[in-house]
Amino acid sequence: MSEPQGSENTTQRMPVLEKADAGPPAEGELGQSASAADYDPPPAIDDADGGQGRFWSLRRVPAGIVALLVLVGAGVLLYDVAAVRAHQPASHWRRSLARQLAERPLDDTWVLVGACLAAALGLWLIVLAVTPGLRDVLPMRRTHPDVRAGLHRDAAATALRDRAMEVSGVRSVRVRMGRRKVDVRAVSHFRALDDVRADLDATLADGIRGLGLVRPPALSVHVARPGRKG
C-alpha cells in the first residue's frame, strides 16, 4: 500500500510508542501474524430517530456569550427608555447612535463594517445551530436502546497502536486517527516489509472492527526501515 500524502509536521504530531529491539524471531515465528482472533461486534440497533449519528455539543460557551450580550444590551436600553419616560434626558450614547444612523449613508465604510460583523456573527450562530460538533468523539454501534456510547479519537488511536505493536517485526508505530481514515506509520527492524505490512493490515482491520464504530474509518498503512544514526 502506498504512503499516504501528508506533511512532515503532521507525522510528528502522531502518537508514538516504541518497544525495545527483541532481536530476530525464534524459529517458526517468522511470517506469523500476532493479531488476535477475529472480533464480531454485536449487531447494532436501528433507531427510528437516527440515534447513531454524531453527538451534539451543548455549546455552553457560545450560548453563554450570546445570552450575556443580549442581557447587557437589553438591560442598558431598558434603563435608558425608563429614564426618558421618567422625564430624564436620554443617554449621550443613544442620542449619538441615533444621529449617526440618521446622517451616515448606507455605503459608508463604518456602516458596511458593522453590517459585515453582524452578518458574520449571525452566520456563526447558524453554523453552530445546525452542526453537531464534538468532532473528537466517534459514535459507537448502539446495541441497547437506552445506551449510547462514543469513543474519543485519542483512545481509539491508542487501542490501534497497542494492537500494531503486537505484530512481529514492528519496532515503533505512529497512529493518526481521523473521522474517515486511520493513518498508520510503522518502523520494522526485521522481517520483510511486505510481510509486516500484510500482518498490520489484518491486525488493524480486526482492531477497527473491534472498536465497534458506526462508520469504521478507512485504513492506510505505511512500513519503513529505521533511519541510520549519525
Side-chain angles (χ1 to χ4, degrees):
M1 187 175 296
S2 60
E3 180 179 358
Q5 298 293 328
S7 64
E8 184 66 19
N9 292 333
T10 302
T11 303
Q12 294 177 356
R13 289 195 296 267
M14 299 176 183
V16 180
L17 181 66
E18 293 193 0
K19 65 181 180 182
D21 190 348
E27 183 178 357
E29 180 184 356
L30 190 61
Q32 294 180 357
S33 173
S35 61
D38 291 341
Y39 171 80
D40 293 329
I45 297 177
D46 294 330
D47 293 344
D49 59 352
Q52 297 197 46
R54 282 173 55 184
F55 289 84
W56 282 77
S57 174
L58 298 180
R59 314 286 192 188
R60 290 190 178 95
V61 175
I65 293 176
V66 173
L68 180 62
L69 293 178
V70 171
L71 180 62
V72 172
V76 173
L77 182 60
L78 181 61
Y79 174 82
D80 193 62
V81 171
V84 172
R85 293 294 184 181
H87 307 289
Q88 297 292 331
S91 300
H92 175 72
W93 68 267
R94 194 155 71 98
R95 296 197 304 267
S96 177
L97 179 61
R99 182 174 64 254
Q100 293 292 337
L101 292 177
E103 296 177 355
R104 287 183 180 272
L106 295 179
D107 58 351
D108 184 78
T109 302
W110 288 109
V111 174
L112 296 178
V113 170
C116 291
L117 292 177
L121 178 60
L123 181 61
W124 177 60
L125 294 176
I126 292 175
V127 171
L128 291 180
V130 300
T131 54
L134 294 180
R135 296 182 59 85
D136 288 339
V137 180
L138 305 175
M140 301 178 67
R141 305 169 73 93
R142 196 166 186 173
T143 59
H144 192 279
D146 297 330
V147 178
R148 189 173 180 223
L151 183 63
H152 200 277
R153 285 197 289 182
D154 290 343
T158 300
L160 294 179
R161 186 172 65 244
D162 292 342
R163 292 291 301 271
M165 291 298 295
E166 298 175 358
V167 176
S168 177
V170 174
R171 179 177 180 179
S172 64
V173 181
R174 295 182 177 93
V175 178
R176 184 168 182 259
M177 186 77 183
R179 296 192 58 83
R180 297 180 177 85
K181 184 179 179 181
V182 181
D183 188 7
V184 179
R185 300 188 178 222
V187 175
S188 176
H189 53 305
F190 64 87
R191 295 186 63 192
L193 296 182
D194 292 339
D195 295 339
V196 177
R197 186 182 297 110
D199 287 349
L200 282 174
D201 285 336
T203 300
L204 294 177
D206 181 68
I208 292 175
R209 289 194 300 270
L211 296 177
L213 302 178
V214 174
R215 298 178 181 86
L219 177 62
S220 176
V221 178
H222 173 73
V223 184
R225 293 295 186 195
R228 293 186 177 182
K229 298 181 181 180

